[in-house]
Amino acid sequence: MPPNPMLERLERTSEIPMQIALFTYSTKPRGSVIHTLELAEALQHLGHTVCVYALDKDGSGFGRSLTCAYQPVPASAAPAAIDQLIQQRIQEFVTFLDGHLANCQYEIFHAQDCLSANALAILRQQGKIPHFVRTVHHIEDYQSIYLQQCQQRSIEDADLCLCVSDYWQQQLAQQYHIHAPRVVNGVNRDRFAAPLPDPQPLRQQWGITGTPVFLTVGGIEPRKNTLQMLNAFAQVRQTLPHAQLVIAGGATLFDYQTYREQCLQRIKELELEQAIVLPGVIPDADLPSLYRCADSFVFPSVKEGWGLVVLEALASGLPVIVSQQAPFTEFLTPEQALFVDPSNPDTIAQAMLQSVQPQVAQALVQNSHTVLETYSWKTSATMHINHYQGFTHARNALQNSMA
């Protein structure tokens, strides 16, 4: 293979050690949280010093051991009203970091979400930190004026914005007139592709007894398109009467109780009570085994920053079904995934039936190997360091010119 001058230059740049603080809003396994952890580990592996800061409501941490440092930020019980909850969480970050950061020598302060970015914006305004970086995984359509303002502040006040897909890079340019360099996501193949013990005990624990088993990870949410997935699965059961659908996950700051109740009611109407498995939040250590319990991964989401769980499913050897829209179309081809119209349960059902046909499944999994080779956390970490150091050099040059 011929040398890649760009990659070689990035790797040389990444050899200069940096002190980095990464901030995330939770210890629960949501997409941006997993991104933060995997990025932190990859940066640490490259020789940099990293500490992850996360709001920790129950003191249990991330449920996995880390090679980098981890600093829990205490979070107490909060009001149910979302505006007041977010306001309290931002203040908890500010209160803790106000004293803590005085003894730290970080070169980069990097928020992975709107909540922690607002806290860093306050601290920068108070002169407690010199700058902050913000990764925009996606832009939310908040109804609350307060949340709209928080999101706008977290993006516009950042000294550097990064994003994880071409689509959201375009949206940031259109909506905020900000150029956000793109960094890639990755997948931990050591976790998801490695040989695992027989998952049968976990199958029994979760009540997974069907044939075949369809899996989705992310919980019941409007943007996960759960209602249409249920409608599609009802059609699948007409052909495959012993099939099960596992809907795992559900930890989020936002209250989707009304939508969840609609989905539970729809399950009753479709008489799917015995066919739907709702195991809730899966312990991090058990997540690779959960994928091994499935035959197909279904993810007809209507909005995603990227969809890390799709890469995890591919690494676990599952055929995947995704929506025919960005960002999925940025990193997958029709040879690597089954694309569907997320608004049409007929196309979702048809893809589910196709995905468990042995020849189709085998071809999809085999063709996805190039995706797994392309998207790695090492590549992501190397890109981050390049942007960090470019940002630092530009700031230093500006300060020197003003001296």
Side-chain angles (χ1 to χ4, degrees):
M1 180 180 295
N4 185 328
M6 179 178 291
L7 184 57
E8 290 177 353
R9 178 176 61 81
L10 289 176
E11 290 180 343
R12 285 196 301 272
T13 303
S14 70
E15 293 174 359
I16 305 172
M18 299 192 77
Q19 304 277 335
I20 304 161
L22 298 180
F23 300 84
T24 185
Y25 73 97
S26 177
T27 57
K28 304 305 179 186
R30 302 294 291 183
S32 64
V33 177
I34 297 302
H35 174 102
T36 306
L37 294 182
E38 295 291 357
L39 173 61
E41 296 280 72
L43 289 167
Q44 189 82 17
H45 186 72
L46 289 177
H48 306 281
T49 302
V50 183
C51 183
V52 176
Y53 292 79
L55 289 169
D56 192 345
K57 291 186 291 185
D58 54 17
S60 61
F62 294 105
R64 69 162 81 174
S65 59
L66 301 173
T67 59
C68 65
Y70 162 55
Q71 178 60 62
V73 177
S76 57
I82 188 63
D83 287 10
Q84 286 73 32
L85 183 152
I86 296 299
Q87 189 172 23
Q88 176 175 315
R89 294 289 180 246
I90 291 172
Q91 187 56 49
E92 287 168 338
F93 251 131
V94 171
T95 300
F96 178 82
L97 295 173
D98 186 19
H100 176 84
L101 292 179
N103 300 317
C104 301
Q105 301 295 322
Y106 296 119
E107 298 167 83
I108 295 293
F109 301 84
H110 187 167
Q112 292 289 340
D113 52 78
C114 173
L115 193 155
S116 61
N118 271 268
L120 295 186
I122 293 171
L123 290 167
R124 190 195 59 184
Q125 185 179 25
Q126 294 174 350
K128 305 296 174 59
I129 61 174
H131 68 265
F132 75 96
V133 179
R134 157 86 153 105
T135 294
V136 179
H137 294 271
H138 64 273
I139 300 171
E140 292 280 5
D141 298 319
Y142 293 123
Q143 299 300 310
S144 159
I145 298 298
Y146 172 73
L147 294 183
Q148 292 173 13
Q149 293 172 342
C150 282
Q151 178 168 253
Q152 183 174 351
R153 187 182 307 116
S154 76
I155 295 172
E156 293 183 341
D157 286 9
D159 297 273
L160 171 66
C161 271
L162 303 174
C163 65
V164 297
S165 78
D166 293 338
Y167 175 78
W168 291 111
Q169 185 181 59
Q170 295 164 8
Q171 292 302 306
L172 284 167
Q174 292 174 13
Q175 298 184 38
Y176 292 90
H177 307 292
I178 289 174
H179 171 66
R182 186 181 167 216
V183 290
V184 299
N185 272 310
V187 63
N188 189 335
R189 297 177 72 179
D190 290 340
R191 288 195 73 210
F192 294 100
L196 293 174
D198 182 2
Q200 186 58 31
L202 290 174
R203 283 178 179 268
Q204 295 177 348
Q205 175 184 327
W206 292 321
I208 300 176
T209 59
T211 306
V213 173
F214 298 93
L215 170 68
T216 191
V217 176
I220 297 176
E221 294 185 16
R223 71 184 182 96
K224 301 300 181 183
N225 206 21
T226 312
L227 271 174
Q228 295 290 35
M229 194 167 13
L230 291 173
N231 291 331
F233 181 61
Q235 295 184 36
V236 170
R237 285 272 292 186
Q238 295 175 12
T239 302
L240 301 172
H242 300 293
Q244 278 187 313
L245 173 61
V246 180
I247 305 174
T252 178
L253 283 172
F254 301 101
D255 181 9
Y256 298 113
Q257 187 59 35
T258 300
Y259 185 79
R260 182 180 178 87
E261 289 173 357
Q262 291 174 355
C263 288
L264 295 178
Q265 179 61 34
R266 188 60 179 152
I267 289 172
K268 292 181 179 179
E269 293 170 356
L270 296 170
E271 299 181 351
L272 293 175
E273 294 96 325
Q274 303 305 312
I276 303 294
V277 179
L278 301 173
V281 177
I282 302 298
D284 187 73
D286 294 335
L287 188 58
S289 294
L290 176 67
Y291 286 104
R292 303 299 175 87
C293 293
D295 298 287
S296 173
F297 189 77
V298 192
F299 204 66
S301 179
V302 295
K303 178 186 281 190
E304 289 295 329
W306 181 264
L308 285 179
V309 291
V310 174
L311 290 179
E312 293 172 356
L314 290 174
S316 302
L318 291 179
V320 301
I321 299 165
V322 294
S323 298
Q324 178 86 46
Q325 63 184 47
F328 307 117
T329 50
E330 294 179 24
F331 66 96
L332 293 170
T333 69
E335 290 74 37
Q336 297 162 336
L338 295 175
F339 289 101
V340 298
D341 175 356
S343 67
N344 188 340
D346 294 345
T347 67
I348 301 172
Q350 182 180 2
M352 292 173 76
L353 291 171
Q354 280 184 278
S355 71
V356 293
Q357 295 173 10
Q359 290 184 333
V360 174
Q362 183 177 0
L364 291 171
V365 171
Q366 185 172 353
N367 292 335
S368 69
H369 289 166
T370 55
V371 179
L372 300 175
E373 293 167 359
T374 302
Y375 295 98
S376 74
W377 289 114
K378 179 181 179 182
T379 299
S380 181
T382 303
M383 295 176 75
H384 275 81
I385 289 297
N386 183 57
H387 291 305
Y388 290 161
Q389 296 191 341
F391 166 69
T392 301
H393 292 159
R395 280 181 57 85
N396 291 341
L398 179 61
Q399 290 173 353
N400 291 336
S401 69
M402 298 174 63

Short mmCIF file of all heavy atoms in Angstrom, two decimals, residues 296 314 317-321 332-339 351 354-371:
data_model
loop_
_atom_site.label_atom_id
_atom_site.label_comp_id
_atom_site.label_asym_id
_atom_site.label_seq_id
_atom_site.Cartn_x
_atom_site.Cartn_y
_atom_site.Cartn_z
N SER A 296 -30.43 -9.78 13.63
CA SER A 296 -30.49 -8.62 12.76
C SER A 296 -30.60 -7.37 13.61
O SER A 296 -31.21 -7.39 14.68
CB SER A 296 -31.70 -8.73 11.81
OG SER A 296 -31.87 -7.54 11.06
N LEU A 314 -22.35 -3.89 13.35
CA LEU A 314 -21.54 -4.42 12.25
C LEU A 314 -20.33 -5.18 12.78
O LEU A 314 -19.99 -6.27 12.29
CB LEU A 314 -21.07 -3.27 11.35
CG LEU A 314 -22.14 -2.58 10.49
CD1 LEU A 314 -21.55 -1.37 9.78
CD2 LEU A 314 -22.73 -3.56 9.47
N GLY A 317 -21.01 -8.62 13.83
CA GLY A 317 -21.36 -9.57 12.78
C GLY A 317 -22.83 -9.61 12.42
O GLY A 317 -23.31 -10.62 11.91
N LEU A 318 -23.56 -8.51 12.67
CA LEU A 318 -24.98 -8.48 12.36
C LEU A 318 -25.25 -7.71 11.07
O LEU A 318 -24.62 -6.68 10.81
CB LEU A 318 -25.75 -7.79 13.50
CG LEU A 318 -25.84 -8.51 14.84
CD1 LEU A 318 -26.63 -7.67 15.83
CD2 LEU A 318 -26.48 -9.88 14.68
N PRO A 319 -26.22 -8.18 10.27
CA PRO A 319 -26.72 -7.35 9.18
C PRO A 319 -27.49 -6.19 9.78
O PRO A 319 -28.15 -6.34 10.81
CB PRO A 319 -27.64 -8.30 8.40
CG PRO A 319 -28.09 -9.30 9.43
CD PRO A 319 -26.93 -9.47 10.37
N VAL A 320 -27.41 -5.01 9.15
CA VAL A 320 -28.05 -3.83 9.72
C VAL A 320 -29.06 -3.23 8.74
O VAL A 320 -28.89 -3.30 7.52
CB VAL A 320 -27.02 -2.76 10.14
CG1 VAL A 320 -26.04 -3.31 11.16
CG2 VAL A 320 -26.28 -2.20 8.93
N ILE A 321 -30.11 -2.65 9.33
CA ILE A 321 -31.16 -1.94 8.60
C ILE A 321 -31.16 -0.51 9.10
O ILE A 321 -31.26 -0.26 10.31
CB ILE A 321 -32.53 -2.59 8.86
CG1 ILE A 321 -32.54 -4.04 8.38
CG2 ILE A 321 -33.64 -1.78 8.20
CD1 ILE A 321 -33.72 -4.85 8.91
N LEU A 332 -22.27 4.13 4.75
CA LEU A 332 -22.74 2.80 4.36
C LEU A 332 -23.23 2.83 2.91
O LEU A 332 -23.73 3.85 2.43
CB LEU A 332 -23.88 2.35 5.28
CG LEU A 332 -23.53 2.07 6.73
CD1 LEU A 332 -24.80 1.88 7.56
CD2 LEU A 332 -22.63 0.85 6.86
N THR A 333 -23.11 1.70 2.25
CA THR A 333 -23.61 1.54 0.89
C THR A 333 -24.71 0.49 0.89
O THR A 333 -24.85 -0.27 1.87
CB THR A 333 -22.49 1.10 -0.06
OG1 THR A 333 -22.11 -0.26 0.27
CG2 THR A 333 -21.27 2.01 0.06
N PRO A 334 -25.49 0.38 -0.19
CA PRO A 334 -26.53 -0.66 -0.26
C PRO A 334 -25.96 -2.08 -0.21
O PRO A 334 -26.72 -3.02 0.06
CB PRO A 334 -27.19 -0.39 -1.62
CG PRO A 334 -26.96 1.06 -1.87
CD PRO A 334 -25.60 1.33 -1.32
N GLU A 335 -24.67 -2.23 -0.44
CA GLU A 335 -24.04 -3.56 -0.31
C GLU A 335 -23.70 -3.87 1.14
O GLU A 335 -23.43 -5.03 1.47
CB GLU A 335 -22.76 -3.63 -1.17
CG GLU A 335 -22.99 -3.64 -2.66
CD GLU A 335 -23.42 -2.27 -3.19
OE1 GLU A 335 -22.91 -1.25 -2.68
OE2 GLU A 335 -24.28 -2.24 -4.10
N GLN A 336 -23.73 -2.86 2.00
CA GLN A 336 -23.32 -3.04 3.40
C GLN A 336 -24.48 -2.94 4.38
O GLN A 336 -24.34 -3.32 5.55
CB GLN A 336 -22.27 -1.98 3.75
CG GLN A 336 -21.00 -2.12 2.92
CD GLN A 336 -20.16 -0.86 2.95
OE1 GLN A 336 -20.66 0.24 3.20
NE2 GLN A 336 -18.87 -1.02 2.71
N ALA A 337 -25.61 -2.41 3.93
CA ALA A 337 -26.77 -2.25 4.82
C ALA A 337 -28.03 -2.23 3.97
O ALA A 337 -28.00 -1.93 2.78
CB ALA A 337 -26.66 -0.95 5.61
N LEU A 338 -29.15 -2.55 4.60
CA LEU A 338 -30.45 -2.44 3.95
C LEU A 338 -31.04 -1.08 4.31
O LEU A 338 -31.25 -0.79 5.49
CB LEU A 338 -31.37 -3.57 4.41
CG LEU A 338 -30.93 -4.99 4.02
CD1 LEU A 338 -31.87 -6.03 4.65
CD2 LEU A 338 -30.89 -5.16 2.50
N PHE A 339 -31.30 -0.26 3.30
CA PHE A 339 -31.84 1.09 3.52
C PHE A 339 -33.36 1.08 3.40
O PHE A 339 -33.91 0.40 2.53
CB PHE A 339 -31.25 2.07 2.51
CG PHE A 339 -29.80 2.39 2.75
CD1 PHE A 339 -28.82 1.78 1.99
CD2 PHE A 339 -29.44 3.30 3.72
CE1 PHE A 339 -27.48 2.08 2.21
CE2 PHE A 339 -28.11 3.60 3.95
CZ PHE A 339 -27.12 2.99 3.19
N ALA A 351 -37.41 -5.16 4.76
CA ALA A 351 -35.98 -5.25 5.04
C ALA A 351 -35.69 -6.19 6.20
O ALA A 351 -34.70 -6.94 6.18
CB ALA A 351 -35.43 -3.85 5.35
N GLN A 354 -35.81 -9.63 4.81
CA GLN A 354 -34.63 -9.88 3.99
C GLN A 354 -33.40 -10.13 4.83
O GLN A 354 -32.57 -10.99 4.51
CB GLN A 354 -34.36 -8.68 3.08
CG GLN A 354 -35.21 -8.58 1.84
CD GLN A 354 -34.76 -7.39 1.00
OE1 GLN A 354 -35.12 -6.24 1.25
NE2 GLN A 354 -33.93 -7.68 0.01
N SER A 355 -33.25 -9.36 5.91
CA SER A 355 -32.02 -9.39 6.70
C SER A 355 -31.76 -10.72 7.36
O SER A 355 -30.62 -11.02 7.73
CB SER A 355 -32.05 -8.28 7.76
OG SER A 355 -32.98 -8.58 8.78
N VAL A 356 -32.79 -11.53 7.56
CA VAL A 356 -32.59 -12.83 8.21
C VAL A 356 -32.53 -13.97 7.20
O VAL A 356 -32.50 -15.14 7.59
CB VAL A 356 -33.67 -13.10 9.28
CG1 VAL A 356 -33.52 -12.13 10.45
CG2 VAL A 356 -35.07 -13.01 8.70
N GLN A 357 -32.51 -13.63 5.93
CA GLN A 357 -32.24 -14.65 4.92
C GLN A 357 -30.73 -14.90 4.91
O GLN A 357 -29.95 -13.95 4.75
CB GLN A 357 -32.73 -14.19 3.55
CG GLN A 357 -34.23 -14.01 3.45
CD GLN A 357 -34.65 -13.39 2.12
OE1 GLN A 357 -33.86 -13.26 1.20
NE2 GLN A 357 -35.93 -13.01 2.03
N PRO A 358 -30.28 -16.14 5.09
CA PRO A 358 -28.85 -16.42 5.27
C PRO A 358 -27.94 -15.81 4.22
O PRO A 358 -26.91 -15.20 4.56
CB PRO A 358 -28.80 -17.95 5.25
CG PRO A 358 -30.15 -18.37 5.74
CD PRO A 358 -31.11 -17.36 5.20
N GLN A 359 -28.30 -15.91 2.95
CA GLN A 359 -27.43 -15.39 1.90
C GLN A 359 -27.33 -13.87 1.96
O GLN A 359 -26.25 -13.30 1.79
CB GLN A 359 -27.92 -15.84 0.53
CG GLN A 359 -27.72 -17.33 0.26
CD GLN A 359 -28.15 -17.72 -1.15
OE1 GLN A 359 -29.00 -17.07 -1.75
NE2 GLN A 359 -27.55 -18.78 -1.67
N VAL A 360 -28.45 -13.22 2.21
CA VAL A 360 -28.46 -11.75 2.31
C VAL A 360 -27.64 -11.30 3.51
O VAL A 360 -26.78 -10.41 3.41
CB VAL A 360 -29.89 -11.22 2.42
CG1 VAL A 360 -29.90 -9.71 2.68
CG2 VAL A 360 -30.68 -11.54 1.15
N ALA A 361 -27.87 -11.93 4.66
CA ALA A 361 -27.15 -11.56 5.88
C ALA A 361 -25.65 -11.75 5.71
O ALA A 361 -24.85 -10.88 6.09
CB ALA A 361 -27.66 -12.39 7.06
N GLN A 362 -25.26 -12.88 5.14
CA GLN A 362 -23.83 -13.17 4.96
C GLN A 362 -23.17 -12.14 4.05
O GLN A 362 -22.06 -11.67 4.34
CB GLN A 362 -23.66 -14.57 4.38
CG GLN A 362 -22.20 -15.00 4.24
CD GLN A 362 -22.08 -16.42 3.71
OE1 GLN A 362 -23.08 -17.09 3.44
NE2 GLN A 362 -20.85 -16.90 3.56
N ALA A 363 -23.83 -11.76 2.97
CA ALA A 363 -23.26 -10.79 2.04
C ALA A 363 -23.12 -9.42 2.70
O ALA A 363 -22.08 -8.75 2.54
CB ALA A 363 -24.13 -10.70 0.79
N LEU A 364 -24.13 -8.99 3.44
CA LEU A 364 -24.07 -7.70 4.11
C LEU A 364 -22.92 -7.65 5.11
O LEU A 364 -22.16 -6.66 5.16
CB LEU A 364 -25.39 -7.40 4.81
CG LEU A 364 -26.60 -7.12 3.93
CD1 LEU A 364 -27.87 -7.06 4.76
CD2 LEU A 364 -26.43 -5.80 3.16
N VAL A 365 -22.79 -8.68 5.91
CA VAL A 365 -21.74 -8.72 6.93
C VAL A 365 -20.36 -8.73 6.28
O VAL A 365 -19.45 -8.01 6.71
CB VAL A 365 -21.94 -9.94 7.85
CG1 VAL A 365 -20.73 -10.12 8.77
CG2 VAL A 365 -23.22 -9.78 8.67
N GLN A 366 -20.21 -9.52 5.25
CA GLN A 366 -18.91 -9.61 4.59
C GLN A 366 -18.52 -8.26 3.96
O GLN A 366 -17.37 -7.84 4.04
CB GLN A 366 -18.93 -10.70 3.52
CG GLN A 366 -17.58 -10.94 2.86
CD GLN A 366 -17.61 -12.16 1.95
OE1 GLN A 366 -18.59 -12.90 1.91
NE2 GLN A 366 -16.53 -12.38 1.22
N ASN A 367 -19.48 -7.60 3.34
CA ASN A 367 -19.20 -6.33 2.67
C ASN A 367 -18.94 -5.19 3.65
O ASN A 367 -18.42 -4.14 3.25
CB ASN A 367 -20.35 -5.95 1.75
CG ASN A 367 -20.48 -6.88 0.56
OD1 ASN A 367 -19.50 -7.51 0.14
ND2 ASN A 367 -21.68 -7.00 0.01
N SER A 368 -19.32 -5.36 4.90
CA SER A 368 -19.16 -4.29 5.88
C SER A 368 -17.76 -4.21 6.47
O SER A 368 -17.46 -3.28 7.22
CB SER A 368 -20.17 -4.46 7.02
OG SER A 368 -19.87 -5.61 7.80
N HIS A 369 -16.89 -5.16 6.14
CA HIS A 369 -15.55 -5.17 6.72
C HIS A 369 -14.79 -3.88 6.41
O HIS A 369 -14.02 -3.38 7.24
CB HIS A 369 -14.76 -6.38 6.22
CG HIS A 369 -15.26 -7.67 6.79
ND1 HIS A 369 -14.91 -8.91 6.29
CD2 HIS A 369 -16.11 -7.92 7.81
CE1 HIS A 369 -15.51 -9.86 6.97
NE2 HIS A 369 -16.25 -9.29 7.91
N THR A 370 -14.99 -3.34 5.20
CA THR A 370 -14.27 -2.11 4.86
C THR A 370 -14.71 -0.93 5.73
O THR A 370 -13.91 -0.04 6.02
CB THR A 370 -14.50 -1.75 3.38
OG1 THR A 370 -15.91 -1.67 3.11
CG2 THR A 370 -13.88 -2.81 2.47
N VAL A 371 -15.97 -0.92 6.15
CA VAL A 371 -16.46 0.14 7.04
C VAL A 371 -15.72 0.07 8.37
O VAL A 371 -15.26 1.09 8.90
CB VAL A 371 -17.98 0.01 7.27
CG1 VAL A 371 -18.47 1.11 8.21
CG2 VAL A 371 -18.73 0.06 5.96
#
